[in-house]
Amino acid sequence: MKWHFTVLIICVFTICCKGKSEKLKEESNKIDQILNVKDTIDFGDFIVYNIYKNQILVYRELKGEKDSLKIANKIIRNLFTPYPAIFKNCWSYSESNFIGWNTHLIKNDTIINERIKLIEQINLDAIIKNTYKTVSELSGYKPTGAWYIYFFSSPDGCDMCGCDLNSMQLNLSYTKMFEKNYIKNLLPHEFNHNIYDLTSKNDPDNNTVLWDVISEGFATYFAKKHSNLSISEAFMTYSKEDYRWCLENEKRIFEKAKPLLFSTNGKDYNELGTAERNSFMPDSPGKLGYFIGYRIIEEYVKRNGEDSWTEVYTIPVRKLLKESGYEKYISELK
């Protein structure tokens, strides 16, 4: 019995050591793969900062660290100071606030560990490079500016947002970010925003609600065309039933939105732009501004030929609305 007990102890010890060794090996492989990620993807006039790489390395180093001053200094030196355009100039983070939410992610790293595996699986850098190429070819324009990719403090914030062409963030913490094809469907939409911001900058109405409506509608239209998406995929949050609801209520939607179209008060677009259900109108699926812009462009293309969508990049939004015939189309709806 004593001999059997000794053998049992040795076996258990061997299995435990093997399991621990395999786990350490797996962690080491993850770090090696992260180290292989480039700090930036540089296209010339457009650059992507892979801040998430530094986040993961800093988090791994500080995991279990008790010295709060050491934690704070490391976070500021490696993550905050190198990227003032996004963290300071755009989001106006104080150092204490930035330290706070990064420290929270260090202590609660489940979402980070899950995302590391998914980033490896989809090859994020390759998706960005390929999408940049195909968007440039289809649109005839090259994106300009800067994107910052990192783990944001909350999974409930925006998927991609920012302040201007040089400070856009891709939020890897976002809940749906790694659902099937989400990133692949999102990037053409966002790249088109980038291009449209440049090509329409001289439009005298580029500070109006109508411009916002066209910008979102055009990004949706472009993503659908670029990736051969269904309506649901192009609108990201819509089901087929949601889009059907919009079509069935199209007249009411536009008539309610029409008085706001040339407003220069950004708040007037908020309810039209939000994805929250029941916004702007009861029972709405949200994003009604996207819907209006998309439909205006659809009607413009119907009138002017299948390749006329490219004219949207440079035609003033007021002229686009007029030449789309959309208002006449709406007036004839019952």
Side-chain angles (χ1 to χ4, degrees):
M1 288 292 292
K2 186 176 181 181
W3 180 83
H4 288 299
F5 181 74
T6 303
V7 171
L8 178 62
I9 293 295
I10 292 171
C11 289
V12 170
F13 179 77
T14 302
I15 291 169
C16 289
C17 288
K18 184 179 179 183
K20 188 174 182 180
S21 175
E22 288 177 350
K23 187 174 181 181
L24 288 171
K25 185 178 180 181
E26 183 182 345
E27 286 295 314
S28 178
N29 288 338
K30 283 182 184 178
I31 297 300
D32 288 343
Q33 288 172 329
I34 292 302
L35 285 170
N36 288 332
V37 172
K38 292 184 177 180
D39 292 334
T40 61
I41 311 173
D42 194 341
F43 297 93
D45 290 334
F46 179 74
I47 188 167
V48 177
Y49 293 93
N50 286 326
I51 302 176
Y52 72 89
K53 171 187 174 179
N54 288 336
Q55 277 183 297
I56 291 168
L57 296 176
V58 168
Y59 291 177
R60 285 289 183 270
E61 183 179 334
L62 295 178
K63 185 70 175 175
E65 177 62 57
K66 304 296 183 184
D67 187 335
S68 59
L69 183 59
K70 182 178 180 180
I71 292 171
N73 287 339
K74 187 75 174 179
I75 289 172
I76 293 302
R77 184 171 63 252
N78 289 60
L79 301 178
F80 185 74
T81 303
Y83 310 106
I86 189 70
F87 294 133
K88 193 173 182 181
N89 301 343
C90 178
W91 296 123
S92 301
Y93 284 124
S94 65
E95 289 190 358
S96 60
N97 181 274
F98 190 81
I99 291 165
W101 66 258
N102 275 281
T103 302
H104 174 77
L105 286 176
I106 292 170
K107 294 177 180 178
N108 303 274
D109 61 357
T110 302
I111 190 169
I112 307 294
N113 292 330
E114 290 174 352
R115 295 295 196 261
I116 290 174
K117 294 177 183 177
L118 295 169
I119 290 168
E120 294 164 3
Q121 289 171 9
I122 66 171
N123 195 345
L124 183 56
D125 279 11
I127 290 175
I128 292 171
K129 289 176 183 177
N130 182 63
T131 308
Y132 175 91
K133 178 177 180 291
T134 54
V135 164
S136 299
E137 290 171 348
L138 180 60
S139 68
Y141 299 94
K142 290 185 177 181
T144 299
W147 285 1
Y148 297 80
I149 305 179
Y150 63 100
F151 296 101
F152 194 46
S153 57
S154 169
D156 301 319
C158 62
D159 49 10
M160 191 161 189
C161 49
C163 299
D164 55 41
L165 291 175
N166 294 305
S167 54
M168 292 294 294
Q169 71 165 24
L170 180 66
N171 177 16
L172 293 182
S173 298
Y174 185 68
T175 306
K176 295 182 178 181
M177 189 59 72
F178 292 94
E179 290 182 3
K180 183 181 179 182
N181 292 327
Y182 191 91
I183 290 179
K184 286 184 178 180
N185 295 348
L186 174 68
L187 294 187
H189 180 111
E190 296 300 336
F191 271 129
N192 201 68
H193 273 312
N194 177 292
I195 293 167
Y196 188 64
D197 280 0
L198 287 170
T199 60
S200 66
K201 65 182 179 181
N202 294 323
D203 187 335
D205 291 311
N206 68 1
N207 61 342
T208 64
V209 170
L210 177 61
W211 186 92
D212 287 324
V213 163
I214 296 301
S215 178
E216 291 296 355
F218 190 27
T220 303
Y221 185 94
F222 179 84
K224 184 177 185 296
K225 188 173 188 66
H226 171 275
S227 305
N228 194 27
L229 303 180
S230 67
I231 281 292
S232 298
E233 290 170 326
F235 276 84
M236 305 294 282
T237 58
Y238 275 18
S239 65
K240 290 180 181 178
E241 290 71 25
D242 290 333
Y243 190 71
R244 188 181 304 120
W245 183 92
C246 289
L247 290 176
E248 290 172 351
N249 292 275
E250 188 169 11
K251 188 179 181 74
R252 290 197 306 125
I253 293 169
F254 184 74
E255 286 180 346
K256 184 175 181 182
K258 188 176 178 179
L260 303 175
L261 292 182
F262 292 100
S263 166
T264 56
N265 184 342
K267 292 181 179 179
D268 285 339
Y269 179 71
N270 288 349
E271 284 201 339
L272 281 166
T274 181
E276 290 184 18
R277 302 188 75 84
N278 300 307
S279 56
F280 195 68
M281 291 176 62
D283 302 320
S284 85
K287 288 189 173 181
L288 295 186
Y290 291 53
F291 171 75
I292 295 170
Y294 178 84
R295 287 289 299 118
I296 290 171
I297 293 165
E298 265 199 328
E299 291 301 313
Y300 181 85
V301 172
K302 283 180 185 177
R303 278 192 162 205
N304 296 280
E306 62 178 344
D307 293 328
S308 63
W309 66 270
T310 59
E311 297 168 10
V312 178
Y313 286 113
T314 54
I315 187 172
V317 291
R318 192 181 293 259
K319 185 177 180 182
L320 175 66
L321 175 61
K322 182 179 180 181
E323 295 189 2
S324 70
Y326 187 67
E327 290 181 278
K328 182 174 186 296
Y329 163 81
I330 288 294
S331 70
E332 291 173 351
L333 288 177
K334 294 181 179 179

